[in-house]
C-alpha cells in the first residue's frame, strides 16, 4: 500500500488511574503491515496502551490514531478495522466453541452460511475441531485461549491487537499461533502484540518496542537493539570470591553483567582474538584468577535488562536505532 | 453488509444468543419457574384461608403471582448483563461495534421469552388448583398485552440495574426492588385492609393498575381506567429504563 496511514500513531499519550501514572507522554508509531511487539515489565502499561487503541479506555490527553482514525472521535471507524484478543479470554461459557464463533462472525457482518464456514475453518486452524460441539465451560485454559484468539479473527481486520497471545499455550499451540500470525502479516495485516517472552519477540516481530516508565525506551529490530545495547560480551568465570571481588573492583563501570553466584563477570568485546587476548591479559595479568571464558552473543534479555534495570530519569531519550 | 442492514441482524443474533444461554442455565431456569409456582401454592394453601377477598383466594392471587414471577425473571436479566460486563464479553462486542441497543435488547427479549414460559406454567398450575378464568379470547389477548408491557418494562429496568452493579451478586441485590414491588399492592390482599400510609402507596404504585387490569380482564369484571393507567406506567418505566440504560452503558463502556 502506498501512503497508507500508520497502523498506530500515538503522540504524547497520557493516562493515569487515580495517582498511578501509567502512560506519561507515550509517543509511538507503528507503520502499516508487519508484526510489532510491545515489551515491558508487569504493570508497564502494555494492556492500557492496547485498550486505548481498541477504543475501550479513553486517554487523558494526547492523540491516538489507528489506521488514520482518532480512537476517541472516530471510534466507529476504528472499530471497523481492528480486532482485539485481550489478556483475558472473553467468551460465553454456555455456548459451544462453534456457537461462540458463529455468533461473533454473524455480528461481524458475515451471512449465516459464511459465518458457519468461517467458524469451522478457524476451529480447524486452532486445533479445536474435536471440541467444537462442547460448551466453552468445559475447555482447558489453553483451549479457551485458542478459542479467544480464533474469535478475534472472525472478521477481516486490518489491524490486530493481541495482548499476551501465547501466555498459557503449550509449545505446540504457540508454534501454531506463530504460524497464524506469520500468515496474517503475509496477507498485509498489521499485528501489534504484547509479550513477556523475549524469544517470541525475537522470532516473530519485525520491530520491537520497549515500554518503561510510561514511555518507549527502545524501538527497532531485534538485531538493531542487540547491536546497540549489548553486541557481544566476554564472560569470565573466577577461581574464588576473592579474585572475583578484586576483578569487579578493578573493572568498575566496565562490567556489563555480574553474577556473584557463578563468580562470573562480563565485559564488552568485539569477539576478535587479539582483543579477547588483550582483555584477558589486562584483567588477569597473573593468569591465575580466570578459570573459564566465554564469548556470548547479546540476547534480547540483555537488552531488556539494560533498558529496564536502568533508572530512567528525564529527559528520557528514545533510542531510535 | 451495509450499516443499515447490520444493526437488525446484530440484534437478532444477540437475542438468539441470550435465549440459548437462558435455556442452558438450568439452575436459573428452574428457580425462575418453580419459585413462583411454590409461592402460589404457599399463598393459596397457607395464607389463603385467612385472607378474605370475597372470592376463592386462588382466583384473587393469580395476577399477583404472575407479577412476582416477572420480578424473579427480571432478576436474571440484571445478573446476565453484569456477567457480560465483568467477563469482558461486552468489551469484545464493543470493539466489534455491536450497538448498546442490540446488546441490551438481546437480554431483554430473552427475559420476556423466559417469563412468558413461566407465566404459562403458573397459569397451568393455577387452573389445576381451581383457578377459573373467563373464556373470552379478546380479553385474554388484552391481558397478555398488559402483562407483556409490564415484562418489557421490568426487564429493561433490570438490564439498567445490571449496568449499575459491579458484581453479579450486587446485580441480584438491586432487583430486590422489582421483586418486592408486588407485595405492597393489591396483589395479595385488598388495599382496603392496609394502614392509610401504606394504602396511599399501594394505590399509586405501578403494580396495582397492572394487577387490577389482569384481574378484571381474566375474570371478566369491569376494569375501568386500570388498563390505561397500567399502560402509562409501563411505557413510562420503559422509557426511563431505556434512557437510563443508555446513559449507564456509556458510563461503563467507552
Ligand atoms: N482500571 C484500572 N484501574 C486502576 N488501575 C489500573 C487499571 N488498569 C490498569 N491499572 C494500573 O495501571 C498499570 C498498568 O497496567 P497494565 O495492565 O496496562 O500493565 P501491563 O503492562 O499490561 O502489565 P502485565 O504485564 O502485568 O499485563 C498497573 O499499575 C495497573 O495496576
Ligand atoms: Mg497486560
Amino acid at each position: 500500500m502506498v501512503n497508507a496511514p500508520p497502523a498506530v500513531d500515538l503522540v504524547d499519550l497520557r493516562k493515569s488511574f487515580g495517582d498511578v501514572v501509567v502512560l506519561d507522554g507515550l509517543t509511538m508509531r507503528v507503520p502499516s503491515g508487519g508484526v510489532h511487539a510491545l515489551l515491558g515489565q508487569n504493570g508497564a502499561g502494555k494492556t492500557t496502551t492496547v485498550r486505548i487503541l481498541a477504543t475501550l479506555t479513553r486517554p487523558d490527553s494526547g492523540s491516538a490514531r489507528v489506521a488514520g482514525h482518532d480512537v476517541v472521535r472516530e471510534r466507529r471507524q476504528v472499530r471497523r478495522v481492528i480486532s482485539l484478543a485481550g489478556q483475558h479470554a472473553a467468551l460465553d461459557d454456555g455456548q459451544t466453541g462453534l456457537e461462540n464463533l458463529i455468533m461473533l462472525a454473524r455480528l461481524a457482518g458475515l451471512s449465516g452460511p459464511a459465518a458457519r464456514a468461517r467458524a469451522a475453518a478457524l476451529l480447524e486452524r486452532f486445533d479445536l475441531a474435536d471440541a467444537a460441539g462442547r460448551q466453552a465451560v468445559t475447555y482447558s485454559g489453553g483451549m479457551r485461549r485458542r478459542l479467544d484468539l480464533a474469535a478475534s479473527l472472525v472478521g477481516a481486520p486490518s489491524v490486530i491487537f493481541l495482548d499476551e497471545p501465547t501466555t498459557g499455550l503449550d509449545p505446540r499451540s504457540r508454534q501454531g499461533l506463530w504460524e497464524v500470525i506469520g500468515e496474517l502479516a503475509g496477507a498485509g495485516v498489521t499485528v501489534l502484540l504484547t509479550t513477556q517472552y523475549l524469544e517470541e519477540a525475537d522470532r516473530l516481530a519485525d520491530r520491537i518496542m520497549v515500554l518503561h516508565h510510561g514511555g518507549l525506551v527502545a524501538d527497532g529490530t531485534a538485531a538493531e537493539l542487540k547491536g546497540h545495547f549489548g553486541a557481544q560480551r566476554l564472560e569470565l568465570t573466577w577461581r574464588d570470591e576473592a579474585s572475583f571481588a578484586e576483578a569487579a573492583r578493578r573493572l568498575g563501570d566496565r562490567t556489563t553483567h555480574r553474577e556473584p553466584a557463578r563468580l562470573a563477570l562480563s565485559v564488552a568485546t568485539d569477539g576478535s582474538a587479539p582483543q579477547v587476548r588483550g582483555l584477558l591479559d589486562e584483567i588477569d595479568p597473573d593468569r591465575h584468577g580466570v578459570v573459564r571464558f566465554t564469548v556470548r552473543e547479546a540476547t534480547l534479555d540483555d537488552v531488556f535488562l539494560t533498558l529496564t534495570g536502568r533508572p530512567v530519569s528525564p529527559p528520557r531519550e528514545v533510542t531510535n536505532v | 453488509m451495509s450499516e443499515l442492514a447490520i444493526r437488525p441482524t446484530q440484534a437478532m443474533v444477540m437475542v438468539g444468543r441470550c435465549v440459548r444461554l437462558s435455556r442452558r442455565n438450568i439452575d436459573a431456569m428452574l428457580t425462575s419457574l418453580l419459585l413462583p409456582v411454590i409461592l402460589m401454592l404457599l399463598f393459596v394453601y397457607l395464607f389463603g384461608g385467612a385472607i378474605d377477598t370475597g372470592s376463592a383466594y386462588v382466583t384473587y392471587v393469580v395476577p399477583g403471582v404472575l407479577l412476582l414471577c416477572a420480578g424473579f425473571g427480571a432478576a436474571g436479566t440484571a445478573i446476565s448483563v453484569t456477567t457480560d460486563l465483568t467477563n469482558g464479553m461486552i468489551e469484545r462486542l464493543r470493539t466489534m461495534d455491536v450497538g448498546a441497543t442490540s446488546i441490551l435488547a438481546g437480554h431483554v427479549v430473552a427475559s420476556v421469552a423466559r417469563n412468558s414460559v413461566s407465566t404459562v406454567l403458573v397459569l397451568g398450575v393455577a387452573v389445576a388448583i381451581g383457578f377459573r378464568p373467563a373464556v373470552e379470547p379478546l380479553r385474554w389477548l388484552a391481558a397478555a398485552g398488559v402483562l407483556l408491557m409490564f415484562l418489557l418494562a421490568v426487564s429493561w429496568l433490570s438490564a439498567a440495574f445490571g449496568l449499575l452493579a459491579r458484581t453479579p451478586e450486587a446485580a441480584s441485590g438491586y432487583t430486590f426492588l422489582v421483586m418486592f414491588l408486588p407485595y405492597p399492592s393489591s396483589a395479595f390482599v385488598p388495599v382496603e385492609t392496609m394502614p392509610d400510609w401504606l394504602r396511599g402507596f399501594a394505590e399509586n404504585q405501578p403494580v396495582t393498575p397492572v394487577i387490577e387490569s389482569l384481574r378484571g380482564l381474566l375474570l371478566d369484571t369491569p376494569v375501568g381506567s386500570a388498563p390505561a393507567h397500567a399502560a402509562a406506567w409501563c411505557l413510562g418505566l420503559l422509557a426511563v429504563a431505556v434512557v437510563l440504560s443508555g446513559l449507564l452503558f456509556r458510563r461503563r463502556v467507552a
Side-chain angles (χ1 to χ4, degrees):
Chain A
M1 267 187 286
V2 187
N3 288 333
V8 168
D9 195 3
L10 303 180
V11 180
D12 200 24
L13 200 66
R14 288 168 200 279
K15 178 75 194 178
S16 305
F17 294 102
D19 289 342
V20 186
V21 178
V22 181
L23 301 180
D24 189 12
L26 172 64
T27 296
M28 164 176 142
R29 177 177 287 212
V30 174
S32 179
V35 181
H36 308 262
L38 185 60
L39 264 52
Q41 294 163 321
N42 288 140
K46 302 180 295 295
T47 298
T48 305
T49 307
V50 166
R51 286 178 54 89
I52 289 174
L53 290 170
T55 75
L56 293 175
T57 300
R58 262 171 197 264
D60 295 337
S61 69
S63 106
R65 294 182 159 271
V66 174
H69 305 292
D70 187 279
V71 297
V72 179
R73 283 189 301 278
E74 300 166 299
R75 242 176 301 170
R76 306 206 42 196
Q77 284 90 322
V78 172
R79 286 170 178 164
R80 246 169 260 155
V81 297
I82 61 159
S83 105
L84 163 72
Q87 192 165 0
H88 306 284
L91 301 160
D92 279 333
D93 279 342
Q95 295 201 83
T96 66
L98 184 66
E99 286 164 346
N100 266 293
L101 294 188
I102 292 178
M103 169 184 85
L104 294 169
R106 294 280 283 137
L107 292 173
L110 270 64
S111 70
R116 274 186 289 281
R118 184 98 187 102
L122 282 168
L123 288 165
E124 191 69 48
R125 191 73 187 83
F126 283 88
D127 227 352
L128 289 168
D130 292 340
R134 267 164 49 195
Q135 290 186 24
V137 69
T138 67
Y139 282 22
S140 74
M143 291 165 80
R144 287 181 69 81
R145 192 81 202 127
R146 279 181 279 148
L147 184 60
D148 190 66
L149 290 161
S152 69
L153 301 180
V154 291
S158 55
V159 183
I160 298 186
F161 304 113
L162 304 173
D163 197 357
E164 300 198 16
T166 55
T167 303
L169 294 188
D170 59 25
R172 189 183 121 105
S173 309
R174 181 168 301 171
Q175 193 69 39
L177 180 65
W178 288 358
E179 278 168 27
V180 173
I181 291 175
E183 286 164 19
L184 287 167
V189 175
T190 311
V191 181
L192 176 62
L193 58 88
T194 76
T195 180
Q196 304 281 355
Y197 303 108
L198 298 164
E199 179 212 351
E200 180 167 289
D202 207 350
R203 249 280 332 243
L204 263 188
D206 303 317
R207 229 168 104 253
I208 294 172
M209 295 160 288
V210 180
L211 189 56
H212 191 58
H213 287 197
L216 283 195
V217 291
D219 182 352
T221 66
E224 284 168 343
L225 294 189
K226 288 181 213 167
H228 192 271
F229 289 97
Q232 287 171 321
R233 58 187 165 96
L234 177 66
E235 186 185 87
L236 306 166
T237 311
W238 298 83
R239 182 174 306 284
D240 48 37
E241 285 183 26
S243 58
F244 172 82
E246 162 67 13
R249 196 184 50 72
R250 192 141 27 91
L251 284 169
D253 278 357
R254 287 168 65 197
T255 320
T256 57
H257 289 69
R258 148 204 311 262
E259 285 183 64
R262 287 176 43 226
L263 299 179
L265 285 176
S266 296
V267 290
T269 176
D270 63 9
S272 68
Q275 204 227 4
V276 170
R277 194 177 289 134
L279 278 170
L280 281 171
D281 284 340
E282 181 206 334
I283 297 168
D284 187 23
D286 307 339
R287 306 199 174 182
H288 183 69
V290 175
V291 290
R292 303 180 60 81
F293 74 89
T294 321
V295 175
R296 292 194 183 278
E297 289 292 322
T299 63
L300 267 188
D301 289 87
D302 296 333
V303 175
F304 195 74
L305 263 178
T306 315
L307 283 171
T308 57
R310 174 184 80 187
V312 178
S313 48
R316 194 178 40 235
E317 261 178 82
V318 174
T319 315
N320 262 309
V321 288
Chain B
M1 212 182 288
S2 83
E3 190 53 39
L4 275 180
I6 199 164
R7 289 289 180 213
T9 310
Q10 288 183 335
M12 260 167 43
V13 172
M14 291 311 291
V15 168
R17 163 202 185 231
C18 293
V19 168
R20 190 177 308 128
L21 290 176
S22 300
R23 264 196 297 128
R24 302 239 169 106
N25 191 348
I26 306 289
D27 301 336
M29 195 76 182
L30 276 182
T31 318
S32 70
L33 287 180
L34 288 184
L35 218 57
V37 170
I38 290 170
L39 273 172
M40 177 166 66
L41 298 177
L42 199 75
F43 272 108
V44 170
Y45 293 112
L46 210 61
F47 308 141
I51 303 172
D52 180 13
T53 58
S55 63
Y57 188 63
V58 62
T59 305
Y60 184 84
V61 85
V62 165
V65 173
L66 292 181
L67 295 205
L68 266 188
C69 193
F72 285 120
T77 315
I79 294 170
S80 319
V81 169
T82 313
T83 304
D84 271 8
L85 271 176
T86 49
N87 74 7
M89 194 43 142
I90 287 192
E91 293 199 327
R92 158 156 274 156
L93 297 174
R94 289 308 279 159
T95 65
M96 299 180 72
D97 203 32
V98 179
T101 316
S102 300
I103 296 174
L104 294 177
H107 285 290
V108 169
V109 173
S111 162
V112 171
R114 274 198 312 267
N115 273 295
S116 306
V117 174
S118 43
T119 298
V120 170
L121 187 77
V122 167
L123 280 176
V125 176
V127 168
I129 61 171
F131 178 57
R132 293 292 170 263
V135 260
E136 204 197 314
L138 269 184
R139 294 205 141 223
W140 274 86
L141 219 57
V146 171
L147 190 61
L148 275 177
M149 272 194 301
F150 182 77
L151 286 177
L152 201 59
V154 292
S155 296
W156 211 296
L157 207 57
S158 304
F161 286 144
L163 290 170
L164 203 60
R166 296 277 149 185
T167 61
E169 290 76 22
S172 94
Y174 281 128
T175 53
F176 164 77
L177 213 69
V178 177
M179 293 203 273
F180 181 73
L181 219 48
Y183 291 100
S185 80
S186 64
F188 303 107
V189 293
V191 291
E192 294 78 32
T193 61
M194 298 175 187
D196 281 347
W197 60 272
L198 190 57
R199 182 175 169 181
F201 174 78
E203 279 176 342
N204 292 294
Q205 66 123 319
V207 167
T208 298
V210 176
I211 296 269
E212 292 307 317
S213 308
L214 290 181
R215 199 171 274 144
L217 290 167
L218 289 179
L219 300 178
D220 207 1
T221 55
V223 289
S225 61
H229 280 149
W233 265 115
C234 290
L235 297 179
L237 279 177
L238 181 63
V240 168
V242 169
V243 171
L244 188 68
S245 60
L247 292 176
L248 288 171
F249 196 95
R250 236 155 298 157
R251 200 190 54 134
R252 283 294 290 271
V253 192

